[in-house]
Amino acid sequence: MRCPFCRGEDSRVVDSREVEEGQAIRRRRSCSTCGRRFTTIEELVLSVVKRSGVTEPFSREKVVRGVRRACQGRPVEEDALQQLAHQVEDTVRSLGVSELPSHEVGLAILGPLRELDEVAYLRFASVYRAYSSVEDFEKEITDLRAARRAAQAGAEQNAESGRE
């Protein structure tokens, strides 16, 4: 690592810490030539490969913009969108790859969005999955209803077991 002050090529690490919830490492360095200290931050760059083959860095803000569009007119807080984007980033980073197809990012969005707002989920899924007929929407709505019934049954079962 070159010193930003004297351009010396020899520096030693004085201190290392994880930052941004373990997504980056902050290193305090000391230049062997001039003795001055400086900080470097090392982070894993996560790249998204689009269908066209173009590669671009993963952007949490791009996730928020896409989901915000699906949530337009819905009672969804900005904080919830930021949390969803953070959750999506955690999910794709946990895959342990430095490049992933944009399709994987879309899949990572669908789950949390389904929990956040079902109407926004349908909007996003209709574009993402390219619904071509009313039957596609009907099937997705049927799946949503079944999942909601299963969740309610599970909640009722937990409530009953808590009373015993």
Side-chain angles (χ1 to χ4, degrees), residues 1-20:
M1 181 78 226
R2 286 189 183 269
C3 172
F5 305 108
C6 72
R7 307 298 293 158
E9 292 186 24
D10 190 29
S11 65
R12 66 182 181 86
V13 176
V14 177
D15 181 42
S16 290
R17 294 183 189 178
E18 284 188 2
V19 291
E20 297 178 23

Side-chain angles (χ1 to χ4, degrees), residues 64 67-68 71-85 113 116-117 120:
V64 170
V67 173
R68 185 181 292 129
C71 292
Q72 196 168 356
R74 301 294 303 156
V76 176
E77 302 274 328
E78 183 65 25
D79 274 355
L81 296 178
Q82 294 296 331
Q83 287 175 347
L84 183 140
L113 185 55
L116 180 65
D117 188 277

Side-chain angles (χ1 to χ4, degrees), residues 146-163:
R148 189 186 309 150
R149 280 194 297 273
Q152 287 172 343
E156 288 172 5
Q157 193 174 32
N158 287 341
E160 285 179 17
S161 64
R163 284 187 228 143

